Amino acid sequence: KNSLELMSCPSAKYPRNSSSKEFLLESAEKAGLSRAAAEKHMDTPAVLERVRGEVHKARVEYGVNGVPHFIISNESEPSKKPFAFSGAQPPETFLSVFERLL
């Protein structure tokens, strides 16, 4: 399964907190990883600190405050500002962003 399949809710009627520890552990198991190993990794202080740092950076630099949130850039042209937007988007939004970045 791909990550989108693993992270999606079985039904829109029952939304889940995709950042909850239980949800992440269940997702690790569904992906074929050891639940115990995933939990040990998640509880490692260095991992927790790294995740907190990445969350803070995303909030401060890109205004991320929910999911889904998309940040799209052209790495071959770092001078161009990346596009960042939240919420479900129609395919046309992505096409427009890709065309602007090329």
Side-chain angles (χ1 to χ4, degrees), residues 21-93:
K21 186 173 184 178
E22 184 59 31
F23 180 83
L24 294 171
L25 290 172
E26 287 175 13
S27 297
E29 282 185 303
K30 288 178 185 175
L33 302 173
S34 158
R35 182 184 180 96
E39 188 164 23
K40 182 179 179 183
H41 181 75
M42 289 171 63
D43 290 339
T44 303
V47 171
L48 291 171
E49 187 60 31
R50 179 178 171 198
V51 170
R52 286 185 186 118
E54 289 177 6
V55 168
H56 177 74
K57 180 180 178 180
R59 286 183 177 151
V60 170
E61 290 186 22
Y62 298 107
V64 175
N65 60 11
V67 294
H69 191 96
F70 304 94
I71 301 168
I72 304 172
S73 65
N74 183 342
E75 291 181 357
S76 66
E77 293 192 41
S79 62
K80 284 190 176 180
K81 184 178 177 182
F83 286 85
F85 48 93
S86 292
Q89 301 290 325
E92 294 80 20
T93 300

Side-chain angles (χ1 to χ4, degrees), residues 3-22:
S3 58
L4 288 177
E5 291 173 318
L6 293 170
M7 299 302 283
S8 64
C9 303
S11 167
K13 294 179 184 177
Y14 306 104
R16 304 210 33 215
N17 179 355
S18 61
S19 64
S20 76
K21 186 173 184 178
E22 184 59 31

